[in-house]
Each structure stands twice: as C-alpha cells, then as structure tokens.
Amino acid sequence: MFRVPITLLFALVFLQQISAQVEYKTYNINGVRSHTFEPKKVEPDFNVQLINLEAPSPDGDDYRAFLMRQKIKSREAFPIKTTTSAPEKKATQAQPIIGKGFGMTRVLFNGTVLDVTGGIPNDNALAVSNGGLVVSSINSLVWAYDLNLDTNHFPTDIITLAKVGEGSISNNFYDPKLIYDEKADRFILVFLKDNLPGTSQIMICFSQTNDPLDGWNVFRLPGNPLNNNRWTDFPAINVTDQELFITGNLIIPGVSWQVGFDGSVIWQIDKNAGYNNDSILPSKLYAQVSYNGKYTRNLHPVRGTGSSTTEQYFLSNRNFDISNDTVFVMKIDGLLSDSTTELKVTMAQTDVNYGVPPNGRQQDTDLSDPTKGLQTNDGRVLGAITNGDWIQFVSTTVNPQTGLAGIYHGWVTNPTENNQTITGTILGDQTLDFGYPNIAFAGNDPCDIEAIIGLNFTSPTDFPGVGTFYFGNDSSYSSFTRIKDGLNYTDRHSDSYERWGDYFGIQPKFDEPGTVWLSGYRGLQNRANGTWINEVKSPDSDVLIVNVDELDGTIYCKGGIQLTASGAIPPYLYSFDNGPFTEDNIADSLCQRDTVTYAVMDDRGCVVYGEYVT
C-alpha cells in the first residue's frame, strides 16, 4: 500500500478569503511516481470475468439513503403526468447527423464476438485522438478502438483497471475518467482505488505517446490527503494548456449524510511532469471550499470548446434540493507556480429551477415506488464547456411539466464577472426518462455556440439506450434523436433497483470541427449493461469563408483587393489594416508587394482574419 509520511506529504500554505462569504484552504501535496504500465505486456485471459462489484454510490451509502427520501418528496411535488402538452422547448433545429457507431466488444480465441459487460454502474468515459484512436473506459476496465483500421486496438481487447493500477484482488478500482490532450497529443486516465481512508488513492495515468498501446506513466495522489479519516469519491477532470485539474468529494465513513460530506476538493497538477515521468508530480490541493459557511458540493471542471484552455472554471449547484435556482461559478486564477494564484467563487441564480430527478423507469420497475428503477442520483452538474465568453452546462433534473427525468441545459453569461446571468432550459419527453447528460462543442467556427448533448434514455416500453440533442447557433434545439436502442431492460440486482450512469463520455474530434464522439449506457439482451460508442455531427456545415481578388493597377500604386464573403450568417462587415468594420469590401491605392491585413465579420460577430501581399 502506498504511504508517504504526512510531514513530507503536505504543508499548509494559507487560509485565504476571497470575500467575507467565500473560504477555502490550500495545501502543497505532491503526487509521486508509482510505476510504468505497459499494455503490450498484458497477457490475454480468455476466461476473464469482471467481478460483479458495485462501485460506491456518489457521496457514500448514507447519502444514498437520504437521496431516496428526496426522490419520494420529489414525486409528491411533481407527480407523473404523461398526458400534458408538449415539452417546453419546441424543436426547430435539424437533427444531428448520426455517423459510425459500435459497441464495446471483445473477441474470444475462437472468433466469437461478445459485448463487454460493465460493472455496476457503467461509468462511461471516452477520449478520441486526432489520429483516430478511441479510448473508452468503464467500471472497471479500459478499452481502445482504431477508427482507421476499424478494429479493437489492444491485443487483449480489454485491460482491467486493477492491472493498470498494479493492485491486488482485495482492491477496488472504479470511477474512471479519460481525456485527450491535443496540445500534447497524449491521453490521460484517472481512476480511484478503494473507498476506505486507509487505502483510498487517486491513480493518474499519462500516456507516453499518442498511442494508448504504448507505455503509461502512473502516479498516485492520496485519497485521504489530510490524513483525517476521509476517502475520495466521484472524480472529474480537465486539462488546460499547462495543467491537469481533478475534482472530487471527501467522504467520512460510517456517519450520517448530514456530516458525512467533508467538502469537494480541487487538485491543480503540473501535467508536463506526468508526461515527462518525473519522480514527483507537483500539485496543489484546494479544500474546505465554502460559501456562507456551507460547503459547495460536486465541483465540476468546465472544458474549453477547443482541445484545452488557458483558464479553468468550475460549477456547483444545490444538487439534492427538490427545487433550486442557485449555481456557483468558480475559477482558478493563476498557475500552480504562481504565488498569487487564487480560487474565486461567485453565486448566481438561474431563471428556470432545477431539482432532484426521479429515477428512470424500466419494464420491470415498480412504478409505485419512486426509489426503484434506474438510479439518476441527484441534480449535480455532469458536463460543462466554455469559450471564455459563456459557459454551457448540463445536469439531470425533474421535469416539472411531466414529473419525468429530464435534462437541464444552462447558459452562463459573463463567467468572468461578478454579475453573471444564468438561463436554463429543461429538455424533456412525454414518455422517456433522460439521465446522465454530457455536452461537447460542435461548432465549425470558434465563435459558434453549437453543442451536442449526449444522454441515456429509458421508459417502461423503451429499453435503456443512448440519444442526443443538438443545440444550434440560434439557441434552439433539435428534437430528441435516438442513437441506439437497448436490447432488453437491465437487471443486475435482485429487485427493480438498478444503477445507471454514473456519467456519460463525450468529446469533440478536434481535427474535425462539428464532429463529436460519445459513449453511453445500453441494455444488453442478457439484461446486463453494455456500452455504445457513436460519432455524431452537427447538421450546420456553414463556415465563414473569405475569398480575395486582386484588382489591376498595383504597379502604379492604384491597385487594390476585393473581399468576397460567403457562408455563416450574412450580412458581412469588412476591416482593413485594423480599421473600423464597414460595408466596404475593397482596399485600394495599393502598390506592388504591399501587405494588407483584413478581417471579415458576419452577423453573429464571428471574425475571420487574413493577410494578403499584392
């Protein structure tokens, strides 16, 4: 078991107050190099079976009992009404384009192809590289697929997280998270080990190359970082240009839900040390984050619309309330190496409330008992993206119009300011329950706001499957699109209680603007839970294009250039040599070998920049 003397492990740096309302503590706690994992050396095991273990419930078992009571109260407040009018947001956008899809499978020595059954729950995570390699992880294994060769990428098909973490049979490895760092052209895999304070750890794996079949540098962070009887649960991750961020919850075992949660934490990590396989992984821990004396829960990192970003935002909400409008917007302002780096927290209110979602209904669900069915957990933020001017986020929520589980899609304006405005839309259905959404940028131009929202769906007459909504540049939505239906309802427990989610994998393919890959939960024929992976494309192919035509006369300094814009959203405005934007698309009085810089803006405010030498 990994242990480091606590006196060497961390030093308390300071207690910092952003204002009288916000408090947190920071600690310097470095990760340590553990080992190198080499997938090529993993021996095939044709008789391998995943141990049918259930991963810890988010925030612990005592919290789960409390949450079931909340779902009973939610059903009383929002009874099911499947004969009401259509969902609140009318579908006006075209549906997304559904591309290549495949299940997570393994091939036996005799050529038989089998669906890979996940643990309980699936915990779907996904990353895809510019080179066309998909890495997918579930509870508790990792799997890869080559899009170019159309085949499984690992010789053994699946690799257990226990092998990646070099653990023993007594260890529990779960909650995998994946990300592709385009800036480094590498993959990062993060997962948890054990849910006991004495052995709880965060495992961080950095691929040594852009091929997940090559070696991985594996590091460890303590899951009980302050050595005070806690364990880490429910991680979420993101990368910026220089750093890796991991969030999680600290849980106190063996106590009630009211006191069992010891706050959400943020790890700020030097990712380059991981890629370089340094002996130490420089890291800073932000803990005891509170607002008005109350801990903020389930801090979710916000991903950039591109491959990475220079800033890191986080979102949190009142995830177990029956109905609430509070959203916390947080930001790490500065780098790990900066002495002035701080965590800024502001609170804002949405115009549409969210609330604890009801469970998803299956064919075998006892519809009279709100605690049965596919578990949707609570209303925490499960996915978020930003371009710096706005943040979009998604969570599972009750749909007050139907009493069914729906998707909350929120929009944060001015995230860097203290006067954010937040608007929300609930995406629902008359018969389907939705769960575990995630969101990815799907625009062709950097200034687009297009997004693909991936999610799981189910109903008493629809087997658990994977679907999507498209969000367009005019802030309207497509109708719900089924990507893959399930083959049967899920039955891994002895009654009609089943784990679902606990999250959903999604990522843009960064070298193919408008293309997103996603990974979700699907019911298999044998009533087990499988994984379906699919390509989804934006239906909007318009891109702002600028053509330049040279006008005669440059040899006498009487020439010019004329810009012709097309695509995107007209009308267009033009600017030359950093001048004002006007309707004039011609620059004149140019001589031979003159250099002209230009910019073209469409009606959305999207700008294309260029340079031309006459």
Side-chain angles (χ1 to χ4, degrees):
M1 183 178 64
F2 162 74
R3 290 188 184 275
V4 174
I6 196 68
T7 55
L8 299 178
L9 190 63
F10 69 89
L12 174 61
V13 180
F14 55 88
L15 171 63
Q16 184 173 25
Q17 291 189 343
I18 298 170
S19 68
Q21 296 175 312
V22 179
E23 294 183 350
Y24 64 92
K25 296 179 181 179
T26 62
Y27 304 81
N28 290 333
I29 305 178
N30 293 329
V32 296
R33 184 173 58 201
S34 174
H35 61 278
T36 298
F37 173 69
E38 299 182 65
K40 292 178 181 178
K41 294 184 178 180
V42 174
E43 295 292 331
D45 183 357
F46 298 112
N47 296 314
V48 66
Q49 289 184 336
L50 286 178
I51 299 174
N52 187 10
L53 292 177
E54 182 170 357
S57 179
D59 296 351
D61 290 336
D62 293 290
Y63 176 77
R64 178 167 61 183
F66 161 70
L67 186 59
M68 294 304 102
R69 296 193 294 272
Q70 291 296 94
K71 289 183 182 289
I72 294 172
K73 293 179 181 178
S74 179
R75 174 66 61 83
E76 294 172 351
F78 305 108
I80 294 178
K81 297 175 288 186
T82 57
T83 59
T84 60
S85 59
E88 299 87 332
K89 196 73 174 180
K90 184 178 180 180
T92 59
Q93 275 290 343
Q95 288 186 308
I97 300 167
I98 308 303
K100 178 184 180 67
F102 44 84
M104 184 183 289
T105 60
R106 63 188 303 259
V107 183
L108 301 183
F109 67 95
N110 61 2
T112 301
V113 179
L114 298 178
D115 287 300
V116 175
T117 298
I120 304 174
N122 259 20
D123 290 343
N124 287 114
L126 176 139
V128 55
S129 71
N130 289 351
L133 294 175
V134 172
V135 182
S136 175
S137 191
I138 58 175
N139 173 33
S140 50
L141 57 83
V142 62
W143 178 90
Y145 195 86
D146 190 322
L147 296 175
N148 301 310
L149 299 179
D150 209 18
T151 185
N152 289 0
H153 191 58
F154 291 146
T156 56
D157 292 338
I158 60 175
I159 300 174
T160 64
L161 296 182
K163 288 184 178 179
V164 180
E166 290 191 342
S168 69
I169 194 170
S170 63
N171 295 134
N172 182 19
F173 295 93
Y174 62 100
D175 277 8
K177 291 286 187 173
L178 277 163
I179 196 166
Y180 169 66
D181 181 358
E182 187 190 26
K183 185 177 180 66
D185 194 20
R186 306 277 191 94
F187 293 94
I188 300 175
L189 167 66
V190 174
F191 56 93
L192 301 181
K193 171 183 173 290
D194 294 338
N195 60 329
L196 296 172
T199 57
S200 175
Q201 293 175 4
I202 303 172
M203 311 293 296
I204 310 172
C205 312
F206 299 85
S207 69
Q208 293 181 345
T209 73
N210 58 9
D211 187 343
L213 189 55
D214 294 333
W216 293 69
N217 304 328
V218 182
F219 293 79
R220 301 171 186 257
L221 283 171
N224 183 19
L226 305 182
N227 200 26
N228 59 348
N229 194 41
R230 307 310 190 247
W231 58 277
T232 294
D233 190 29
F234 207 82
I237 67 174
N238 189 39
V239 289
T240 60
D241 286 349
Q242 298 185 47
E243 297 174 329
L244 166 68
F245 289 87
I246 302 174
T247 61
N249 297 329
L250 295 183
I251 307 300
I252 307 172
V255 296
S256 69
W257 74 269
Q258 291 95 332
V259 297
F261 175 78
D262 196 42
S264 294
V265 298
I266 301 170
W267 291 93
Q268 186 176 14
I269 300 165
D270 178 1
K271 69 176 185 180
N272 294 310
Y275 293 138
N276 296 334
N277 203 23
D278 293 347
S279 60
I280 296 297
L281 190 66
S283 308
K284 179 186 289 186
L285 175 71
Y286 299 77
Q288 289 92 47
V289 182
S290 64
Y291 190 93
N292 280 349
K294 295 183 179 180
Y295 286 141
T296 52
R297 289 178 175 262
N298 307 303
L299 308 182
H300 192 89
V302 181
R303 296 191 174 186
T305 53
S307 58
S308 66
T309 179
T310 57
E311 300 177 318
Q312 184 58 65
Y313 291 95
F314 306 86
L315 295 181
S316 176
N317 62 8
R318 302 296 193 192
N319 55 291
F320 54 79
D321 283 1
I322 304 301
S323 182
N324 205 307
D325 62 359
T326 297
V327 175
F328 297 96
V329 182
M330 308 181 187
K331 180 185 177 184
I332 296 286
D333 194 3
L335 298 173
L336 175 67
S337 57
D338 296 340
S339 60
T340 57
T341 297
E342 62 179 347
L343 173 64
K344 297 179 179 179
V345 184
T346 57
M347 186 183 74
Q349 292 179 303
T350 66
D351 62 338
V352 174
N353 281 19
Y354 58 85
V356 164
N359 290 333
R361 301 156 301 147
Q362 292 197 99
Q363 190 176 98
D364 72 332
T365 302
D366 180 357
L367 300 181
S368 65
D369 187 346
T371 69
K372 302 299 183 181
L374 288 171
Q375 300 297 302
T376 51
N377 290 340
D378 51 45
R380 69 187 65 187
V381 175
L382 294 171
I385 57 175
T386 183
N387 75 343
D389 296 326
W390 48 257
I391 295 174
Q392 297 184 51
F393 66 93
V394 289
S395 63
T396 314
T397 183
V398 64
N399 181 352
Q401 301 299 313
T402 63
L404 303 180
I407 303 304
Y408 192 95
H409 180 214
W411 179 281
V412 182
T413 303
N414 299 322
T416 61
E417 306 298 329
N418 290 325
N419 59 340
Q420 298 103 339
T421 58
I422 303 182
T423 59
T425 299
I426 294 178
L427 303 171
D429 190 87
Q430 295 302 112
T431 58
L432 297 173
D433 288 301
F434 296 146
Y436 298 100
N438 208 336
I439 187 169
F441 180 66
N444 300 296
D445 288 316
C447 68
D448 283 341
I449 64 172
E450 296 172 80
I452 294 292
I453 300 172
L455 55 101
N456 299 324
F457 71 84
T458 187
S459 87
T461 57
D462 298 90
F463 298 135
V466 179
T468 184
F469 286 95
Y470 165 69
F471 177 68
N473 278 319
D474 63 352
S475 298
S476 66
Y477 299 83
S478 71
S479 59
F480 176 63
T481 303
R482 292 172 182 256
I483 295 175
K484 194 68 174 180
D485 290 338
L487 300 174
N488 207 337
Y489 65 89
T490 303
D491 188 8
R492 300 288 296 277
H493 287 134
S494 59
D495 61 9
S496 57
Y497 161 90
E498 298 292 335
R499 293 287 292 275
W500 200 19
D502 276 340
Y503 36 84
F504 188 100
I506 194 167
Q507 185 211 291
K509 194 166 188 301
F510 298 120
D511 62 336
E512 298 179 15
T515 298
V516 169
W517 282 86
L518 49 77
S519 170
Y521 180 111
R522 182 187 183 215
L524 300 178
Q525 188 65 56
N526 63 356
R527 297 180 183 172
N529 45 299
T531 291
W532 187 259
I533 298 169
N534 222 106
E535 177 189 45
V536 180
K537 296 184 177 183
S538 163
D540 180 5
S541 60
D542 281 342
V543 180
L544 180 54
I545 299 173
V546 179
N547 292 318
V548 182
D549 295 311
E550 186 171 322
L551 305 178
D552 292 337
T554 55
I555 193 171
Y556 301 109
C557 295
K558 294 183 179 179
I561 61 170
Q562 179 174 329
L563 305 180
T564 304
S566 61
I569 301 179
Y572 313 105
L573 297 175
Y574 308 87
S575 169
F576 296 96
D577 292 330
N578 299 315
F581 281 95
T582 69
E583 295 179 355
D584 186 3
N585 65 336
I586 294 177
D588 53 19
S589 300
L590 299 179
C591 303
Q592 196 170 18
R593 290 188 292 275
D594 274 355
T595 298
V596 182
T597 60
Y598 62 84
V600 180
M601 179 189 299
D602 77 347
D603 197 49
R604 298 168 299 171
C606 290
V607 180
V608 169
Y609 297 92
E611 185 177 272
Y612 189 86
V613 179
T614 58

